[in-house]
Amino acid sequence: MSTTPIVQFGTSRFLQAHAALFISQALQAGEGLGPVTVVQSSGDPARAGRVSALAKGYDVRIRGLEDGEAVDRVARVSSIARGLSLAGDQAEVTRILTEEALIVISNVSEAGLMRRPADRSPGYDAAMSYPAKLAHLLRARYEAGMGPLQMMPTELVRDNGRVLRDLVLEAAGGMEADYRRWLGEEVVWVNSLVDRIVSEPIEPAGAVAEPYALWAIEDRPDLVLPCRHAAIDVVADLGPIERRKLFILNLGHTVMVSQWLKRRRQGPQLVREVMAEAAMSRELAALYAEEVLPGFAAGGEGEGAEAYVAITLERFANPYLDHRLADIAQNHAEKLDRRIGAFLDWARTNGDGSAKPRLEAAMKERSS
C-alpha cells in the first residue's frame, strides 16, 4: 500500500468528480502531490460498498456543452489508494493522519459541520460532528511531534477554512492549551470555493458531471497545492469569484424559480427546458445584460462577469442535466434574500443606479 499524503473526508459523488478526479489527472501528468486515502466520516453502512469500490478505480462521465459543442466523454479516476470508514477503521485513520498526511480535504456538507450534543463528550464519539472528530483525531499527530497539516475544506460555506478552524477549536475547548495553540496557529486552514454540477451517481462508485469545474483557492504564503490542474485557480481574494457564483449562477436559478411559481408550477420543470424555450432564454439573457452586469461594473468587477454569464447560460442549457426547478425552489424565501436581495444591496452600495424591474419584482414575493 502506497503512502498517501492526501486524506479526503467524504465519499460524495461531488468529490469523486472534483478533487479526486483532478488529483488523478494531475498524477498521470506528474503534477500531483500523491495518492489519496478516502475516509467515510459518517459511518453510514449504506455507503460501505461505495467506500470499498473507490480504491478500485471508477469512471466520471462528463456530459454537457463545452464552447457550444455537446460533449460526452469518460475520465477514469485512479488516485484513491484506500477507502476507510471511521466506524471501523478509526485506528488506521489516526495512523495515516499522524504518519502520512500532508493535506486533508473535506466535503461533509453543511450538516456535517453542525454542532451536536456528542461534541461535549470528553473522548472521541462516533456521534460527534466532523469538526469535533477532527479535534480528537489530530491529537495523535500533535503528540507525535509530526508537524502541522494543511486543512482544505470544500463545503459551500464562506471562509470555509476559517469556519472549520473555529469549530475545531471550539470542540477542543477542554483540551490542553498547547494543543489548541497548535491547532489554531500551526495547522494551515485554507479557504476555497468549489463549483461543478454533479448530476447523478454511478454505482457502486463514480458520477456524471458537467464539463465546467472550478476549485478557487485563496492564496497564502504557506499554501501547498494537492496538484496542478487547469480547474484549480489560486487567487488573492475569493470575494469576486463568490459574488459571480452567487449573483450570476445562483441568482439565475432563483429568477427561474420565481417565474415558475408565478406560472403556478406549470410549463418547463427543468432548467434546461427553460433554456429551450426561446422567449424564456432571451428574457434571462436580457436580465443579465440590463440588470446584473451593470451592478458588477459599478462594483469594479465587470471584467470577467460577462464571460461568466455566457458560461452560466451554457451550463443552464446542458442537454444532459435534469436540474429540477422544484429542487431549486427549496428554501426559496431565504434564497431570494441571499441571491437577489443581497445583489441589489451590493449594486446600490457601489453606485449602480440603473433600473432593475425584474429583480425588484422577484423580491416583492418576499413580502407578499
Side-chain angles (χ1 to χ4, degrees):
M1 181 66 68
S2 60
T3 297
T4 54
I6 302 170
V7 174
Q8 173 185 302
F9 281 94
T11 64
S12 68
R13 66 178 187 251
F14 173 80
L15 282 179
Q16 291 177 52
H18 194 269
L21 172 60
F22 300 167
I23 294 166
S24 180
Q25 292 172 329
L27 286 172
Q28 293 169 20
E31 296 285 349
L33 189 63
V36 180
T37 288
V38 168
V39 180
Q40 181 196 25
S41 58
S42 67
D44 182 357
R47 297 185 179 181
R50 180 191 300 176
V51 175
S52 62
L54 288 171
K56 299 174 183 177
Y58 61 88
D59 292 334
V60 174
R61 190 173 183 183
I62 310 297
R63 306 185 79 195
L65 297 176
E66 198 169 46
D67 298 326
E69 298 293 327
V71 298
D72 189 349
R73 60 180 182 266
V74 174
R76 185 71 177 172
V77 177
S78 57
S79 55
I80 298 174
R82 53 166 88 87
L84 302 172
S85 173
L86 279 177
D89 304 308
Q90 183 189 340
E92 178 65 358
V93 172
T94 301
R95 184 197 68 77
I96 294 166
L97 286 172
T98 300
E99 299 176 4
E100 299 184 13
L102 299 176
I103 293 175
V104 175
I105 297 169
S106 67
N107 193 294
V108 298
S109 79
E110 293 183 31
L113 299 179
M114 293 178 63
R115 300 172 183 86
R116 300 179 184 176
D119 292 357
R120 296 189 291 269
S121 300
Y124 178 90
D125 188 321
M128 286 176 164
S129 67
Y130 170 64
K133 289 175 180 176
L134 279 181
H136 289 272
L137 291 170
L138 295 180
R139 286 190 71 171
R141 185 181 182 97
Y142 162 76
E143 291 167 356
M146 295 297 289
L149 285 167
Q150 178 172 288
M151 311 299 292
M152 301 187 72
T154 64
E155 290 79 9
L156 294 176
V157 176
R158 188 173 185 182
D159 294 331
N160 47 19
R162 177 189 58 77
V163 168
L164 181 59
R165 179 200 65 194
D166 291 349
L167 289 170
V168 171
L169 285 171
E170 179 182 301
M175 302 179 189
E176 60 268 34
D178 282 348
Y179 174 53
R180 287 185 281 111
R181 183 200 60 77
W182 181 83
L183 285 171
E185 299 178 11
E186 296 191 37
V187 173
V188 178
W189 305 88
V190 178
N191 296 320
S192 70
L193 182 146
V194 297
D195 190 5
R196 174 169 241 175
I197 296 172
V198 183
S199 56
E200 58 185 289
I202 298 173
E203 298 299 341
V208 179
E210 66 171 337
Y212 180 87
L214 173 68
W215 190 359
I217 300 171
E218 189 174 81
D219 198 9
R220 50 182 298 162
D222 44 8
L223 177 68
V224 177
L225 291 178
C227 65
R228 300 278 180 181
H229 192 276
I232 293 178
D233 192 6
V234 179
V235 299
D237 180 10
L238 287 172
I241 296 173
E242 290 174 336
R243 282 186 283 274
R244 283 202 295 266
K245 183 174 186 292
L246 185 63
F247 296 154
I248 295 177
L249 180 82
N250 298 145
L251 178 146
H253 279 146
T254 297
V255 167
M256 288 185 198
V257 167
S258 294
Q259 295 299 321
W260 179 66
L261 293 173
K262 286 181 181 178
R263 297 193 303 270
R264 300 183 182 274
R265 304 175 184 258
Q266 301 300 308
Q269 300 295 307
L270 304 175
V271 170
R272 62 177 170 81
E273 291 175 346
V274 172
M275 298 303 294
E277 293 279 350
M280 292 182 180
S281 62
R282 282 198 302 269
E283 178 67 8
L284 184 62
L287 178 142
Y288 281 133
E290 298 167 12
E291 301 189 23
V292 175
L293 288 177
F296 277 87
E301 297 179 9
E303 185 177 356
E306 187 171 353
Y308 189 80
V309 166
I311 290 170
T312 297
L313 292 171
E314 186 173 71
R315 293 173 73 186
F316 287 165
N318 185 339
Y320 303 112
L321 181 61
D322 291 342
H323 200 172
R324 300 189 63 81
L325 296 175
D327 293 338
I328 301 170
Q330 295 179 29
N331 304 310
H332 181 58
E334 177 188 347
K335 289 174 180 176
L336 282 169
D337 287 339
R338 292 186 64 248
R339 299 173 177 186
I340 298 179
F343 170 73
L344 290 170
D345 291 343
W346 178 73
R348 290 168 184 147
T349 298
N350 285 294
D352 177 17
S354 63
K356 304 189 187 302
R358 303 174 185 88
L359 295 178
E360 289 170 355
M363 283 307 297
K364 288 180 180 177
E365 300 174 31
R366 191 69 178 86
S367 55
S368 61

PDB file of all heavy atoms in Angstrom, residues 8 27 37-38 41 59 67 72 80 93 97 123 156 158 166 188 213 221 244 271 274 303 308 313 354-355:
ATOM      1  N   GLN A   8      -8.888  12.441   2.283  1.00  0.00           N
ATOM      2  CA  GLN A   8     -10.155  13.064   1.905  1.00  0.00           C
ATOM      3  C   GLN A   8     -11.266  12.532   2.801  1.00  0.00           C
ATOM      4  O   GLN A   8     -11.542  11.333   2.807  1.00  0.00           O
ATOM      5  CB  GLN A   8     -10.480  12.748   0.445  1.00  0.00           C
ATOM      6  CG  GLN A   8     -11.856  13.195  -0.022  1.00  0.00           C
ATOM      7  CD  GLN A   8     -12.153  12.750  -1.434  1.00  0.00           C
ATOM      8  OE1 GLN A   8     -11.414  13.080  -2.363  1.00  0.00           O
ATOM      9  NE2 GLN A   8     -13.222  11.989  -1.610  1.00  0.00           N
ATOM     10  N   LEU A  27      -1.752  13.403 -11.332  1.00  0.00           N
ATOM     11  CA  LEU A  27      -0.759  12.346 -11.097  1.00  0.00           C
ATOM     12  C   LEU A  27      -0.313  11.721 -12.415  1.00  0.00           C
ATOM     13  O   LEU A  27       0.871  11.398 -12.602  1.00  0.00           O
ATOM     14  CB  LEU A  27      -1.342  11.283 -10.173  1.00  0.00           C
ATOM     15  CG  LEU A  27      -1.479  11.673  -8.695  1.00  0.00           C
ATOM     16  CD1 LEU A  27      -2.260  10.613  -7.919  1.00  0.00           C
ATOM     17  CD2 LEU A  27      -0.102  11.872  -8.053  1.00  0.00           C
ATOM     18  N   THR A  37      -6.114   8.779   0.513  1.00  0.00           N
ATOM     19  CA  THR A  37      -6.922   7.904   1.343  1.00  0.00           C
ATOM     20  C   THR A  37      -8.273   8.585   1.536  1.00  0.00           C
ATOM     21  O   THR A  37      -8.322   9.734   1.985  1.00  0.00           O
ATOM     22  CB  THR A  37      -6.295   7.656   2.724  1.00  0.00           C
ATOM     23  OG1 THR A  37      -5.155   6.805   2.574  1.00  0.00           O
ATOM     24  CG2 THR A  37      -7.274   6.962   3.665  1.00  0.00           C
ATOM     25  N   VAL A  38      -9.339   7.900   1.164  1.00  0.00           N
ATOM     26  CA  VAL A  38     -10.687   8.434   1.348  1.00  0.00           C
ATOM     27  C   VAL A  38     -11.264   7.840   2.624  1.00  0.00           C
ATOM     28  O   VAL A  38     -11.171   6.632   2.864  1.00  0.00           O
ATOM     29  CB  VAL A  38     -11.588   8.105   0.148  1.00  0.00           C
ATOM     30  CG1 VAL A  38     -13.047   8.386   0.472  1.00  0.00           C
ATOM     31  CG2 VAL A  38     -11.172   8.922  -1.057  1.00  0.00           C
ATOM     32  N   SER A  41     -16.709   9.591   6.828  1.00  0.00           N
ATOM     33  CA  SER A  41     -16.773  10.158   8.174  1.00  0.00           C
ATOM     34  C   SER A  41     -18.076   9.880   8.882  1.00  0.00           C
ATOM     35  O   SER A  41     -18.140   9.897  10.119  1.00  0.00           O
ATOM     36  CB  SER A  41     -16.540  11.674   8.115  1.00  0.00           C
ATOM     37  OG  SER A  41     -17.490  12.291   7.274  1.00  0.00           O
ATOM     38  N   ASP A  59     -15.226   5.542 -12.865  1.00  0.00           N
ATOM     39  CA  ASP A  59     -15.383   6.445 -14.004  1.00  0.00           C
ATOM     40  C   ASP A  59     -16.179   7.688 -13.626  1.00  0.00           C
ATOM     41  O   ASP A  59     -17.131   7.608 -12.835  1.00  0.00           O
ATOM     42  CB  ASP A  59     -16.106   5.746 -15.161  1.00  0.00           C
ATOM     43  CG  ASP A  59     -15.274   4.647 -15.794  1.00  0.00           C
ATOM     44  OD1 ASP A  59     -14.031   4.719 -15.709  1.00  0.00           O
ATOM     45  OD2 ASP A  59     -15.873   3.711 -16.360  1.00  0.00           O
ATOM     46  N   ASP A  67     -17.953  25.130 -25.002  1.00  0.00           N
ATOM     47  CA  ASP A  67     -17.751  26.032 -26.145  1.00  0.00           C
ATOM     48  C   ASP A  67     -18.806  25.812 -27.218  1.00  0.00           C
ATOM     49  O   ASP A  67     -18.531  25.836 -28.422  1.00  0.00           O
ATOM     50  CB  ASP A  67     -16.346  25.849 -26.741  1.00  0.00           C
ATOM     51  CG  ASP A  67     -15.252  26.187 -25.750  1.00  0.00           C
ATOM     52  OD1 ASP A  67     -15.466  27.101 -24.934  1.00  0.00           O
ATOM     53  OD2 ASP A  67     -14.207  25.519 -25.768  1.00  0.00           O
ATOM     54  N   ASP A  72     -19.498  14.254 -24.508  1.00  0.00           N
ATOM     55  CA  ASP A  72     -19.875  13.084 -23.711  1.00  0.00           C
ATOM     56  C   ASP A  72     -18.646  12.182 -23.674  1.00  0.00           C
ATOM     57  O   ASP A  72     -18.372  11.446 -24.622  1.00  0.00           O
ATOM     58  CB  ASP A  72     -21.075  12.371 -24.342  1.00  0.00           C
ATOM     59  CG  ASP A  72     -21.642  11.275 -23.437  1.00  0.00           C
ATOM     60  OD1 ASP A  72     -20.993  10.931 -22.429  1.00  0.00           O
ATOM     61  OD2 ASP A  72     -22.731  10.767 -23.744  1.00  0.00           O
ATOM     62  N   ILE A  80      -7.211   7.164  -5.790  1.00  0.00           N
ATOM     63  CA  ILE A  80      -7.553   6.722  -4.435  1.00  0.00           C
ATOM     64  C   ILE A  80      -6.893   5.384  -4.146  1.00  0.00           C
ATOM     65  O   ILE A  80      -7.178   4.372  -4.794  1.00  0.00           O
ATOM     66  CB  ILE A  80      -9.080   6.640  -4.264  1.00  0.00           C
ATOM     67  CG1 ILE A  80      -9.682   8.040  -4.459  1.00  0.00           C
ATOM     68  CG2 ILE A  80      -9.441   6.083  -2.894  1.00  0.00           C
ATOM     69  CD1 ILE A  80     -11.188   8.074  -4.458  1.00  0.00           C
ATOM     70  N   VAL A  93      -7.140   5.280  10.442  1.00  0.00           N
ATOM     71  CA  VAL A  93      -7.278   6.671  10.026  1.00  0.00           C
ATOM     72  C   VAL A  93      -6.373   7.559  10.868  1.00  0.00           C
ATOM     73  O   VAL A  93      -5.677   8.448  10.342  1.00  0.00           O
ATOM     74  CB  VAL A  93      -8.742   7.134  10.135  1.00  0.00           C
ATOM     75  CG1 VAL A  93      -8.848   8.638   9.886  1.00  0.00           C
ATOM     76  CG2 VAL A  93      -9.628   6.376   9.149  1.00  0.00           C
ATOM     77  N   LEU A  97      -3.322   9.900   9.462  1.00  0.00           N
ATOM     78  CA  LEU A  97      -3.276  11.334   9.765  1.00  0.00           C
ATOM     79  C   LEU A  97      -1.987  11.712  10.489  1.00  0.00           C
ATOM     80  O   LEU A  97      -1.466  12.819  10.321  1.00  0.00           O
ATOM     81  CB  LEU A  97      -4.487  11.732  10.610  1.00  0.00           C
ATOM     82  CG  LEU A  97      -5.833  11.798   9.901  1.00  0.00           C
ATOM     83  CD1 LEU A  97      -6.954  12.021  10.907  1.00  0.00           C
ATOM     84  CD2 LEU A  97      -5.847  12.908   8.854  1.00  0.00           C
ATOM     85  N   GLY A 123     -14.176  12.196  25.360  1.00  0.00           N
ATOM     86  CA  GLY A 123     -13.416  11.370  24.433  1.00  0.00           C
ATOM     87  C   GLY A 123     -14.108  11.289  23.092  1.00  0.00           C
ATOM     88  O   GLY A 123     -15.245  11.746  22.919  1.00  0.00           O
ATOM     89  N   LEU A 156     -19.644  24.336   1.042  1.00  0.00           N
ATOM     90  CA  LEU A 156     -20.094  25.605   0.476  1.00  0.00           C
ATOM     91  C   LEU A 156     -20.474  26.585   1.585  1.00  0.00           C
ATOM     92  O   LEU A 156     -21.632  26.955   1.770  1.00  0.00           O
ATOM     93  CB  LEU A 156     -21.270  25.372  -0.474  1.00  0.00           C
ATOM     94  CG  LEU A 156     -20.916  24.579  -1.737  1.00  0.00           C
ATOM     95  CD1 LEU A 156     -22.155  24.322  -2.573  1.00  0.00           C
ATOM     96  CD2 LEU A 156     -19.854  25.303  -2.559  1.00  0.00           C
ATOM     97  N   ARG A 158     -18.947  30.282   3.286  1.00  0.00           N
ATOM     98  CA  ARG A 158     -17.991  31.369   3.067  1.00  0.00           C
ATOM     99  C   ARG A 158     -16.865  31.293   4.095  1.00  0.00           C
ATOM    100  O   ARG A 158     -17.104  31.030   5.267  1.00  0.00           O
ATOM    101  CB  ARG A 158     -18.714  32.715   3.160  1.00  0.00           C
ATOM    102  CG  ARG A 158     -17.832  33.880   2.760  1.00  0.00           C
ATOM    103  CD  ARG A 158     -18.613  35.166   2.708  1.00  0.00           C
ATOM    104  NE  ARG A 158     -17.796  36.258   2.214  1.00  0.00           N
ATOM    105  CZ  ARG A 158     -18.216  37.512   2.092  1.00  0.00           C
ATOM    106  NH1 ARG A 158     -19.468  37.828   2.414  1.00  0.00           N
ATOM    107  NH2 ARG A 158     -17.415  38.445   1.628  1.00  0.00           N
ATOM    108  N   ASP A 166     -12.419  27.465  13.500  1.00  0.00           N
ATOM    109  CA  ASP A 166     -13.104  27.936  14.697  1.00  0.00           C
ATOM    110  C   ASP A 166     -13.945  26.836  15.333  1.00  0.00           C
ATOM    111  O   ASP A 166     -14.022  26.730  16.566  1.00  0.00           O
ATOM    112  CB  ASP A 166     -13.984  29.144  14.356  1.00  0.00           C
ATOM    113  CG  ASP A 166     -13.169  30.381  13.994  1.00  0.00           C
ATOM    114  OD1 ASP A 166     -11.938  30.361  14.200  1.00  0.00           O
ATOM    115  OD2 ASP A 166     -13.771  31.356  13.501  1.00  0.00           O
ATOM    116  N   VAL A 188      -2.567  24.714   9.052  1.00  0.00           N
ATOM    117  CA  VAL A 188      -2.882  25.676   7.984  1.00  0.00           C
ATOM    118  C   VAL A 188      -4.316  25.446   7.530  1.00  0.00           C
ATOM    119  O   VAL A 188      -4.657  24.363   7.036  1.00  0.00           O
ATOM    120  CB  VAL A 188      -1.897  25.512   6.802  1.00  0.00           C
ATOM    121  CG1 VAL A 188      -2.251  26.487   5.682  1.00  0.00           C
ATOM    122  CG2 VAL A 188      -0.465  25.721   7.271  1.00  0.00           C
ATOM    123  N   ALA A 213     -15.822  23.068 -14.337  1.00  0.00           N
ATOM    124  CA  ALA A 213     -15.345  22.753 -12.994  1.00  0.00           C
ATOM    125  C   ALA A 213     -14.412  23.854 -12.523  1.00  0.00           C
ATOM    126  O   ALA A 213     -13.632  24.409 -13.305  1.00  0.00           O
ATOM    127  CB  ALA A 213     -14.617  21.413 -12.971  1.00  0.00           C
ATOM    128  N   PRO A 221       1.056  32.493   2.020  1.00  0.00           N
ATOM    129  CA  PRO A 221       2.482  32.184   1.846  1.00  0.00           C
ATOM    130  C   PRO A 221       2.831  30.715   2.020  1.00  0.00           C
ATOM    131  O   PRO A 221       3.743  30.214   1.365  1.00  0.00           O
ATOM    132  CB  PRO A 221       3.158  33.053   2.919  1.00  0.00           C
ATOM    133  CG  PRO A 221       2.196  34.167   3.170  1.00  0.00           C
ATOM    134  CD  PRO A 221       0.834  33.574   2.999  1.00  0.00           C
ATOM    135  N   ARG A 244     -19.629  36.283  -8.228  1.00  0.00           N
ATOM    136  CA  ARG A 244     -20.075  35.817  -9.547  1.00  0.00           C
ATOM    137  C   ARG A 244     -20.955  34.581  -9.403  1.00  0.00           C
ATOM    138  O   ARG A 244     -21.997  34.476 -10.048  1.00  0.00           O
ATOM    139  CB  ARG A 244     -18.871  35.511 -10.448  1.00  0.00           C
ATOM    140  CG  ARG A 244     -18.202  36.740 -11.030  1.00  0.00           C
ATOM    141  CD  ARG A 244     -17.403  36.415 -12.273  1.00  0.00           C
ATOM    142  NE  ARG A 244     -16.271  35.534 -12.000  1.00  0.00           N
ATOM    143  CZ  ARG A 244     -15.045  35.956 -11.750  1.00  0.00           C
ATOM    144  NH1 ARG A 244     -14.783  37.255 -11.710  1.00  0.00           N
ATOM    145  NH2 ARG A 244     -14.081  35.090 -11.543  1.00  0.00           N
ATOM    146  N   VAL A 271     -34.318  23.139 -15.619  1.00  0.00           N
ATOM    147  CA  VAL A 271     -33.565  24.322 -16.048  1.00  0.00           C
ATOM    148  C   VAL A 271     -33.309  24.266 -17.555  1.00  0.00           C
ATOM    149  O   VAL A 271     -33.487  25.266 -18.263  1.00  0.00           O
ATOM    150  CB  VAL A 271     -32.241  24.423 -15.266  1.00  0.00           C
ATOM    151  CG1 VAL A 271     -31.342  25.495 -15.867  1.00  0.00           C
ATOM    152  CG2 VAL A 271     -32.508  24.721 -13.797  1.00  0.00           C
ATOM    153  N   VAL A 274     -36.284  25.318 -19.541  1.00  0.00           N
ATOM    154  CA  VAL A 274     -36.447  26.775 -19.580  1.00  0.00           C
ATOM    155  C   VAL A 274     -35.581  27.354 -20.698  1.00  0.00           C
ATOM    156  O   VAL A 274     -36.023  28.192 -21.490  1.00  0.00           O
ATOM    157  CB  VAL A 274     -36.074  27.405 -18.221  1.00  0.00           C
ATOM    158  CG1 VAL A 274     -36.051  28.938 -18.327  1.00  0.00           C
ATOM    159  CG2 VAL A 274     -37.046  26.961 -17.136  1.00  0.00           C
ATOM    160  N   GLU A 303     -14.934  43.076 -15.273  1.00  0.00           N
ATOM    161  CA  GLU A 303     -14.041  42.216 -16.038  1.00  0.00           C
ATOM    162  C   GLU A 303     -14.278  40.756 -15.655  1.00  0.00           C
ATOM    163  O   GLU A 303     -14.167  40.381 -14.491  1.00  0.00           O
ATOM    164  CB  GLU A 303     -12.581  42.586 -15.771  1.00  0.00           C
ATOM    165  CG  GLU A 303     -11.592  41.806 -16.617  1.00  0.00           C
ATOM    166  CD  GLU A 303     -10.149  42.244 -16.392  1.00  0.00           C
ATOM    167  OE1 GLU A 303      -9.936  43.214 -15.639  1.00  0.00           O
ATOM    168  OE2 GLU A 303      -9.259  41.607 -16.972  1.00  0.00           O
ATOM    169  N   TYR A 308     -18.513  35.106 -17.615  1.00  0.00           N
ATOM    170  CA  TYR A 308     -19.126  34.150 -16.690  1.00  0.00           C
ATOM    171  C   TYR A 308     -20.618  34.008 -16.983  1.00  0.00           C
ATOM    172  O   TYR A 308     -21.176  32.918 -16.846  1.00  0.00           O
ATOM    173  CB  TYR A 308     -18.898  34.589 -15.245  1.00  0.00           C
ATOM    174  CG  TYR A 308     -19.326  33.545 -14.227  1.00  0.00           C
ATOM    175  CD1 TYR A 308     -18.511  32.463 -13.930  1.00  0.00           C
ATOM    176  CD2 TYR A 308     -20.556  33.633 -13.584  1.00  0.00           C
ATOM    177  CE1 TYR A 308     -18.903  31.500 -13.012  1.00  0.00           C
ATOM    178  CE2 TYR A 308     -20.966  32.671 -12.667  1.00  0.00           C
ATOM    179  CZ  TYR A 308     -20.128  31.613 -12.385  1.00  0.00           C
ATOM    180  OH  TYR A 308     -20.520  30.660 -11.488  1.00  0.00           O
ATOM    181  N   LEU A 313     -25.041  30.583 -18.890  1.00  0.00           N
ATOM    182  CA  LEU A 313     -26.140  30.266 -19.807  1.00  0.00           C
ATOM    183  C   LEU A 313     -25.890  28.930 -20.509  1.00  0.00           C
ATOM    184  O   LEU A 313     -26.819  28.146 -20.724  1.00  0.00           O
ATOM    185  CB  LEU A 313     -26.321  31.392 -20.819  1.00  0.00           C
ATOM    186  CG  LEU A 313     -26.841  32.717 -20.250  1.00  0.00           C
ATOM    187  CD1 LEU A 313     -26.764  33.826 -21.292  1.00  0.00           C
ATOM    188  CD2 LEU A 313     -28.269  32.565 -19.741  1.00  0.00           C
ATOM    189  N   SER A 354     -28.969  51.942 -12.003  1.00  0.00           N
ATOM    190  CA  SER A 354     -29.772  51.508 -13.150  1.00  0.00           C
ATOM    191  C   SER A 354     -31.034  50.791 -12.677  1.00  0.00           C
ATOM    192  O   SER A 354     -31.087  50.205 -11.597  1.00  0.00           O
ATOM    193  CB  SER A 354     -28.953  50.574 -14.047  1.00  0.00           C
ATOM    194  OG  SER A 354     -28.599  49.394 -13.355  1.00  0.00           O
ATOM    195  N   ALA A 355     -32.071  50.835 -13.517  1.00  0.00           N
ATOM    196  CA  ALA A 355     -33.347  50.202 -13.179  1.00  0.00           C
ATOM    197  C   ALA A 355     -33.206  48.681 -13.172  1.00  0.00           C
ATOM    198  O   ALA A 355     -32.517  48.111 -14.018  1.00  0.00           O
ATOM    199  CB  ALA A 355     -34.408  50.619 -14.187  1.00  0.00           C
TER     200      ALA A 355
END
